[in-house]
Amino acid sequence: EDQVTQSPEALRLQEGESSSLNCSYTVSGLRGLFWYRQDPGKGPEFLFTLYSAGEEKEKERLKATLTKKESFLHITAPKPEDSATYLCAVQASNDYKLSFGAGTTVTVRA
Amino acid sequence: NAGVMQNPRHLVRRRGQEARLRCSPMKGHSHVYWYRQLPEEGLKFMVYLQKENIIDESGMPKERFSAEFPKEGPSILRIQQVVRGDSAAYFCASSPAVGSGNTIYFGEGSWLTVV
């Protein structure tokens, strides 16, 4: 069974204080690893899909990287508007559904 | 291009009533997924549908829950005889197909409260 573990559960940052979120996974063949952002009372908002080890993608202050066992979401010089829960999910090569981790809740203080 | 549309956004039902949640996928998307997010828990897969077909319902409770995606109209998640434990956020997602490069987009969710 696919497993996704995210750490830490919660992260409190000062504005401008860069940090990284971890997503460890086990899957029988990876089709894709997805990162989403979720604000309270809203649905998950798509950020990135990574397909193979070594791949990196960037969007504004966010950068996602992938190895064979884990993915990192780096937040560079975060702003208060980056406060959200960040969700990681994997899609196995022989499947279509996403298996989600529990998420990391990031709070950025001004 | 409108995103995944879900309604109602909020729904209150008394125990024993029925809840019907609707989902219109993004334009051009023929694959629909339903997920449930219980309070303080992560998103859990429930069911995957294509037009007129249920492909995988392995995550859906065997009783009281059903889903459909008719040829015309939105996908419907139906919960009969609701109980307190059904209180959760129900998210619909859609994709154009299955495979690498096909991003899965989520709607804003339907929040069900059972009183």
Side-chain angles (χ1 to χ4, degrees):
Chain A
E1 185 177 319
D2 304 337
Q3 283 195 313
V4 181
T5 303
Q6 292 188 246
S7 61
E9 290 185 14
L11 190 60
R12 293 175 65 87
L13 300 172
Q14 199 68 34
E15 185 173 4
E17 178 189 0
S18 301
S19 189
S20 296
L21 285 56
N22 177 264
C23 171
S24 298
Y25 66 92
T26 54
V27 64
S28 54
L30 181 70
R31 187 196 299 277
L33 184 140
F34 295 71
W35 282 99
Y36 290 86
R37 167 193 170 127
Q38 187 175 25
D39 293 301
K42 299 289 186 67
E45 175 188 346
F46 172 74
L47 293 174
F48 306 107
T49 308
L50 302 168
Y51 297 103
S52 57
E55 189 175 2
E56 298 183 353
K57 288 192 176 175
E58 286 187 70
K59 179 181 179 180
E60 296 182 357
R61 294 176 293 281
L62 301 176
K63 178 180 177 180
T65 62
L66 180 65
T67 72
K68 289 186 178 180
K69 293 183 179 181
E70 56 190 352
S71 176
F72 291 93
L73 183 66
H74 307 277
I75 309 178
T76 302
K79 298 182 178 182
E81 53 261 43
D82 294 322
S83 297
T85 296
Y86 291 86
L87 302 171
C88 172
V90 296
Q91 187 180 48
S93 56
N94 62 347
D95 207 346
Y96 30 76
K97 61 181 178 283
L98 299 179
S99 297
F100 280 88
T104 295
T105 299
V106 175
T107 304
V108 182
R109 295 164 291 172
Chain B
N1 185 17
V4 179
M5 304 301 291
Q6 290 189 246
N7 67 83
R9 289 295 317 281
H10 298 277
L11 182 64
V12 179
R13 285 288 178 266
R14 295 185 184 278
R15 283 177 291 172
Q17 290 185 321
E18 178 180 289
R20 285 196 177 212
L21 311 178
R22 289 176 291 278
C23 169
S24 295
M26 288 180 70
K27 187 177 181 180
H29 287 194
S30 58
H31 298 241
V32 166
Y33 315 79
W34 286 93
Y35 287 77
R36 179 165 67 174
Q37 190 171 41
L38 293 166
E40 307 305 323
E41 293 190 20
L43 282 156
K44 303 294 184 188
F45 168 79
M46 298 182 73
V47 62
Y48 162 50
L49 311 101
Q50 296 178 23
K51 283 286 187 180
E52 300 185 279
N53 287 303
I54 296 175
I55 308 302
D56 180 359
E57 55 184 350
S58 61
M60 201 141 74
K62 294 288 186 283
E63 297 180 354
R64 302 187 298 106
F65 285 72
S66 63
E68 63 177 12
F69 189 16
K71 186 177 180 180
E72 301 290 338
S75 175
I76 306 287
L77 180 67
R78 181 183 178 200
I79 311 171
Q80 295 179 286
Q81 299 175 322
V82 297
V83 301
R84 289 253 172 89
D86 296 332
S87 295
Y90 292 83
F91 291 98
C92 174
S94 73
S95 69
V98 174
S100 296
N102 290 319
T103 299
I104 298 175
Y105 294 93
F106 283 79
E108 293 287 71
S110 291
W111 264 257
L112 172 65
T113 302
V114 180
V115 297

